[in-house]
Amino acid sequence: MRLQPRFSPMQTITPQLVREAAERIRPLARRTPVMTSRSLDDRAGLQVFLKCENLQRSGAFKIRGASNLILSLSPAELARGVVAFSSGNHAIATAIAAKHVGAQATIVMPEDAPRSKLEATKALGARIITYNRALDDREAIARSALSDTGGTLVPPFDHPMIMAGQGTAALELLEVSPDIDALVVPISGGGLLAGCATIAKSIGPGIRIFGVEPELANDTALSMAAGERVTIPPPESIADGLRAPAPGLLTFPVMQRHVERILLVSEAEIRATMRFLLERVKILVEPSGAVALAAVLFGMLPLEIESAGVILSGGNVDLDFLKTL
Amino acid sequence: MRLQPRFSPMQTITPQLVREAAERIRPLARRTPVMTSRSLDDRAGLQVFLKCENLQRSGAFKIRGASNLILSLSPAELARGVVAFSSGNHAIATAIAAKHVGAQATIVMPEDAPRSKLEATKALGARIITYNRALDDREAIARSALSDTGGTLVPPFDHPMIMAGQGTAALELLEVSPDIDALVVPISGGGLLAGCATIAKSIGPGIRIFGVEPELANDTALSMAAGERVTIPPPESIADGLRAPAPGLLTFPVMQRHVERILLVSEAEIRATMRFLLERVKILVEPSGAVALAAVLFGMLPLEIESAGVILSGGNVDLDFLKTL
């Protein structure tokens, strides 16, 4: 499916866009805590600063991007509403931001999306269009929802305003911990990493940037190695927020420019990290939210790095899953 | 067992002692975040500010009191070391504070204390004396440890410096959220509540103070009703941090003066609150850490209260326990 973003690919993210986003999203996104832990530092062998987006409103960083885009729309655009496609955190984030500005949100969700997320999205006043993953043509539904409403698409990552919004997580982290040697960020489509890398390199050009993916969802690692975007079959990782099969058209060149290396973590390392965060730091992250720290805990950063900022991207996980840890 | 506190009962806690404690403990205790959650406010029907002592160093508020007492000792006293009796969070807190000032800690622990806590305490350089709950005379061991070393006893709650240290949790909460109608605090021996109530009433005399106990550990509720300290048989609540069988000699009159009512929560309410905090707020609390919020979530505050500060006292819980939620 290719839906036209509001910005052309030439208009990309800048540090200034991230700074503007930080002002814009203030009414909607929470300034999340940056946590530290001696037992974590001891185990990792370096100083770690955790940016806790699992404690963000709606339980994930997604509200930063969705609200940045939606709060930048004109009254005329808002009157036509917004459209998003998501089975998860991005759906709820879009619905929250739309409700805040009084715009109608239309969310296209697979009919087998988690019941709790369908209900939560509906409770926020969004119109839900469900489709059958096997039978329906998602692209046709997408086109139809957009043309019916004349609304604005809120893509999950591939848009300068989405990237800029996500980048505010790193901006806040660097306001608290400006002297980090490295920034470590999980990757799905790359919006969070592109935004965070852009602002981090602007504030501290020496900050080394690492992206992290599950071994089972290594599309960005493959793409970086190939020098072009590679699409993989639908990934099966427990990190269900990181299942985008390819990096974005707009996010990929930003990652190519700023990211030193893509680190890959195993499913077992993700589980162990979730368990460590619960036992020692007393916070709950979802599998996707644990991958960046997993790379740090399991010694994948270069040895000379003495301090790292790590984005814990979200905390929305079914408690039944915890039994498997 | 009656061991002589360093302060006589006449010397009680004052707001000034709490303010001094806040300065004194800064090198050792973390300033924990105050968290809010819309889903929590919706469910509780009032605005709730969570003081997250589960995110405190060593996973519980205990470090505040132990470090306040230990950091106030003279070099001569420190040279003789400190002694504490605890199977849990207070042991580790005492060991951390003693290590910080280079004093030898002697911790008297039951031999069936959790292995992890014994190991953690030992790893901090403490000398451990174990005893058999059934066979040994704890009082004799206590006297012997104190007379052998000439050290200072660090009691878990019944001491002005311990109460004052614990009160810094409320001081920090009120610096962030000064306009709360009520403060809700869990009770074991009453040190946390006595300290928090003292500083809260000094900052906002109109702030209404509520203590919370498990129904199965209702010694303070019985004592308040009787107008004198009542001792109950060893409580069986899952809130293992709240099993003191009676309020303290020094804490009780402070609670009598400041506390409007003791609220009682069921074991099921404690479990449901732990689950709510994990699912919706993404943080882990131990059963003792959930009791104050349980009273709020289950509608036990007077209806006219529109905002409340709630102390989540700790987060040290075995992950296996989560399966029972």
Side-chain angles (χ1 to χ4, degrees), chain B residues 18-29:
Chain B
V18 181
R19 293 187 188 281
E20 289 168 11
E23 289 302 312
R24 189 177 292 118
I25 70 176
R26 198 162 290 172
L28 274 165

Side-chain angles (χ1 to χ4, degrees), chain A residues 203-272:
Chain A
I203 291 172
I207 297 174
R208 298 165 69 174
I209 312 288
F210 297 87
V212 188
E213 289 181 315
E215 288 169 355
L216 297 182
N218 64 343
D219 53 294
T220 304
L222 294 175
S223 300
M224 295 287 262
E228 60 177 14
R229 293 161 67 221
V230 171
T231 299
I232 62 172
E236 288 301 324
S237 170
I238 54 169
D240 56 351
L242 306 182
R243 287 183 186 157
L249 187 64
L250 303 186
T251 61
F252 184 59
V254 182
M255 291 193 282
Q256 281 183 303
R257 181 167 165 207
H258 291 309
V259 175
E260 175 171 333
R261 202 190 308 166
I262 307 293
L263 309 170
L264 298 177
V265 296
S266 72
E267 303 291 292
E269 287 163 345
I270 296 170
R271 287 178 199 273

Side-chain angles (χ1 to χ4, degrees), chain B residues 10-11 13 18 38 65 93 107 131 133 146 156 162 183 200 236 260 288 293 295 306 310 314 317 323:
Chain B
M10 301 306 293
Q11 282 178 279
I13 179 179
V18 181
R38 277 165 209 251
I107 314 286
Y131 67 95
R133 285 186 209 257
L146 283 168
I162 300 290
L183 180 64
E236 287 301 324
E260 176 170 332
S288 311
L293 184 62
E306 292 178 355
V310 175
V317 56
K323 292 180 185 156

Side-chain angles (χ1 to χ4, degrees), chain B residues 253-269:
Chain B
V254 182
M255 293 194 279
Q256 280 183 304
R257 177 166 168 209
H258 290 310
V259 175
E260 176 170 332
R261 202 189 309 165
I262 308 293
L263 308 170
L264 298 177
V265 297
S266 71
E267 303 291 291
E269 286 162 346

Side-chain angles (χ1 to χ4, degrees), chain A residues 59-98:
Chain A
F61 72 97
K62 290 285 187 183
I63 189 74
R64 295 179 182 271
S67 61
N68 188 43
L69 194 158
I70 290 170
L71 294 175
S72 71
L73 297 178
S74 68
E77 288 171 314
L78 288 177
R80 292 193 295 274
V82 296
V83 178
F85 308 86
S86 164
S87 58
N89 293 332
H90 180 60
I92 294 175
T94 300
I96 289 174

Side-chain angles (χ1 to χ4, degrees), chain B residues 115-157:
Chain B
R115 185 65 35 193
S116 61
K117 295 211 167 150
L118 276 165
E119 295 299 330
T121 308
K122 200 178 288 182
L124 287 159
R127 187 166 71 106
I128 313 283
I129 300 175
T130 54
Y131 67 95
N132 183 303
R133 285 186 209 257
L135 305 176
D136 293 340
D137 178 351
R138 186 172 110 144
E139 187 170 351
I141 293 169
R143 284 188 204 288
S144 148
L146 283 168
S147 67
D148 283 359
T149 61
T152 302
L153 179 67
V154 183
F157 50 83

Side-chain angles (χ1 to χ4, degrees), chain A residues 27-28 30 33 35-38 54-55 57-59 274-276 278-279 281-285 315-320 322-323 325, chain B residues 27-28 30 33 35-38 54-55 57-59 274-276 278-279 281-285 315-320 322-323 325:
Chain A
L28 274 164
R30 193 176 282 163
M35 289 181 59
T36 58
S37 153
R38 275 164 210 252
N54 58 322
L55 307 180
R57 189 161 170 200
S58 82
M274 289 178 69
R275 189 176 169 105
F276 182 89
L278 256 184
E279 280 188 315
V281 191
K282 317 298 178 191
I283 57 175
L284 179 64
V285 297
N316 292 326
V317 56
D318 192 293
L319 291 199
D320 285 339
L322 299 185
K323 291 179 186 157
L325 298 182
Chain B
L28 274 165
R30 193 175 281 163
M35 290 182 56
T36 59
S37 152
R38 277 165 209 251
N54 57 322
L55 308 180
R57 191 162 169 201
S58 81
M274 288 179 70
R275 191 177 167 103
F276 182 89
L278 256 185
E279 280 189 314
V281 190
K282 318 297 179 193
I283 56 175
L284 180 64
V285 297
N316 292 326
V317 56
D318 192 294
L319 292 198
D320 285 340
L322 299 184
K323 292 180 185 156
L325 300 181

